[in-house]
Amino acid sequence: MRINLTKKDLVNLVYMQIGFSKLISENLIDEFFSLIVNNLLNEKKIKISKFGTFTIREKKRRIGRNPKTKEEKEISKRNVVLFKPSKEFRYFINANKDE
């Protein structure tokens, strides 16, 4: 079962835990995400301490193939976002497993 965390959920968490109004909480979340996106676009890398590093990597154009029809099609070059978790984050994820 997959549970998605939405922007509305984040706004409600800030509203409930910090006590800001919902409008201020929503603006805070919007500013946080825009800060991450803008820094990624400008610097190509953003590191969040004890969480991980986001980087942009350019993928070259290549030929792809439809598995059903075997039709070949060119896949254009594009940028992709990569995430590498920090050691603390990996430790936290693996320490909570029941053995």
Side-chain angles (χ1 to χ4, degrees):
M1 184 168 133
R2 183 176 175 172
I3 299 173
N4 293 327
L5 182 64
T6 64
K7 183 178 139 185
K8 185 177 179 180
D9 295 332
L10 292 173
V11 169
N12 284 330
L13 284 171
V14 171
Y15 167 72
M16 297 295 283
Q17 291 185 6
I18 298 178
F20 291 154
S21 70
K22 287 200 176 186
L23 181 62
I24 292 173
S25 300
E26 185 174 359
N27 289 338
L28 181 69
I29 299 296
D30 286 339
E31 285 297 316
F32 177 73
F33 286 135
S34 67
L35 178 71
I36 290 175
V37 170
N38 289 334
N39 276 319
L40 266 175
L41 291 174
N42 294 333
E43 306 295 327
K44 306 289 188 217
K45 184 177 186 178
I46 184 168
K47 181 178 180 179
I48 301 174
S49 180
K50 296 185 180 181
F51 184 70
T53 304
F54 294 92
T55 55
I56 291 181
R57 189 179 90 192
E58 184 177 301
K59 287 190 145 190
K60 297 178 182 177
R61 69 177 189 88
R62 62 186 174 90
I63 302 295
R65 196 171 288 109
N66 183 332
K68 280 188 176 180
T69 64
K70 307 292 187 218
E71 176 186 358
E72 289 187 352
K73 190 172 184 179
E74 181 180 306
I75 300 172
S76 61
K77 73 175 188 176
R78 64 201 182 282
N79 291 327
V80 293
V81 177
L82 302 174
F83 175 71
K84 182 179 179 188
S86 69
K87 288 180 183 178
E88 292 91 348
F89 186 67
R90 282 183 283 174
Y91 177 77
F92 177 76
I93 294 298
N94 290 319
N96 290 333
K97 289 187 175 194
D98 294 330
E99 294 180 9

